[in-house]
Amino acid sequence: MPADRLFSEIQFVSAITEIAARNAIEIEISSDFDEFRDLRQQQSDRPPLSPIFDPAISDLGPRNAFWIKGSNGKGDIVHTQAMRLNDLTGCSLEEHLHQRRFAYVPPGVAVDADRSSFGAAPASQFITGSVCYHGELWLKGGNNGLRGGGMTAVLPRLALALALLEWSPDYIFGLVPPLAACKGLAAREGYMHLAPGGIIWHPQDGEEAFEEWLVWMSREDLQHVMRFSPLGLYEKLDRKSKKRQVFAERVAVAA
């Protein structure tokens, strides 16, 4: 990697950690997924841990995976996300998702994985090579939470940047609910491509099928995203979030 680009990407990561520190968020990064499973089991208000990031089901360690935790000044967990590298040499993403379909099943949902569809999104046919899956992305909501503001754009970019620096994958992909996708969540996180039908799940109880949309980016896409400092986007989103909060408080008082 050219030294100037490496320096730029290091600055990108540094800017994110500085923004987190400004918001009194301590960032920790680990490849100990037994610890991650224990952490997730303590979060009773969230769905269970995704099988793809459960060390009892998936092979996980420093060579192919890491997770990120963000804690506030009180020590409360306010953020998690995880990244896993997959070797899809000679295999399309569609084939990978089908082969490992039980590892990608939405936690807490009874689906018939054998009847489900994994190739409706055209990108599933050409995404191959070294491919990262980005999941377990969560930010605390409610009062003093992180959702809706600038951190929703900053923190996901940290995992993307670290994956690029560590593995330089050919592609990174994720799966998001359609409603979240339509609200622009994928764009906030830094993803440049979005397609319906990433996975179409068929529930076991005969209910209507539901889908997760595929978000993805190539190595070149990510390198392009990292040309732009996250600070400007953070400040714009944070100002907008604070204006909404002030407006909501005024409405509440008036009522």
Side-chain angles (χ1 to χ4, degrees), residues 163-185:
L164 179 66
L165 290 167
E166 176 70 13
W167 299 309
S168 189
D170 296 305
Y171 296 94
I172 297 178
F173 80 97
L175 297 162
V176 299
L179 183 58
C182 290
K183 289 182 177 179
L185 180 61

Side-chain angles (χ1 to χ4, degrees), residues 167-230:
W167 299 309
S168 189
D170 296 305
Y171 296 94
I172 297 178
F173 80 97
L175 297 162
V176 299
L179 183 58
C182 290
K183 289 182 177 179
L185 180 61
R188 280 197 178 203
E189 294 171 359
Y191 284 94
M192 296 177 64
H193 306 281
L194 170 69
I199 299 180
I200 301 174
W201 296 106
H202 287 267
Q204 291 181 355
D205 56 12
E207 292 292 324
E208 183 179 358
F210 66 94
E211 62 180 322
E212 292 184 282
W213 287 20
L214 176 69
V215 297
W216 62 275
M217 61 200 317
S218 67
R219 180 193 302 119
E220 293 74 21
D221 291 331
L222 183 49
Q223 289 170 344
H224 175 71
V225 168
M226 290 181 65
R227 291 175 53 206
F228 303 92
S229 170

Side-chain angles (χ1 to χ4, degrees), residues 137-151:
L137 182 54
W138 171 82
L139 291 93
K140 181 178 176 62
N143 293 333
N144 301 317
L146 301 179
R147 295 180 194 171
M151 299 305 292

Side-chain angles (χ1 to χ4, degrees), residues 81-188:
Q81 59 182 314
M83 187 76 72
R84 175 191 166 94
L85 176 66
N86 302 284
D87 183 3
L88 272 59
T89 303
C91 173
S92 69
L93 179 59
E94 176 189 6
E95 293 168 326
H96 168 75
L97 292 174
H98 181 264
Q99 290 168 2
R100 299 224 57 199
R101 55 194 177 278
F102 296 104
Y104 287 97
V105 166
V109 181
V111 300
D112 186 341
D114 292 327
R115 291 180 55 234
S116 299
S117 171
F118 303 89
S124 299
Q125 316 303 321
F126 64 75
I127 291 178
T128 187
S130 59
V131 180
C132 285
Y133 172 62
H134 186 195
E136 285 294 321
L137 182 54
W138 171 82
L139 291 93
K140 181 178 176 62
N143 293 333
N144 301 317
L146 301 179
R147 295 180 194 171
M151 299 305 292
T152 58
V154 168
L155 291 174
R157 281 171 165 75
L158 177 59
L160 296 173
L162 292 175
L164 179 66
L165 290 167
E166 176 70 13
W167 299 309
S168 189
D170 296 305
Y171 296 94
I172 297 178
F173 80 97
L175 297 162
V176 299
L179 183 58
C182 290
K183 289 182 177 179
L185 180 61
R188 280 197 178 203

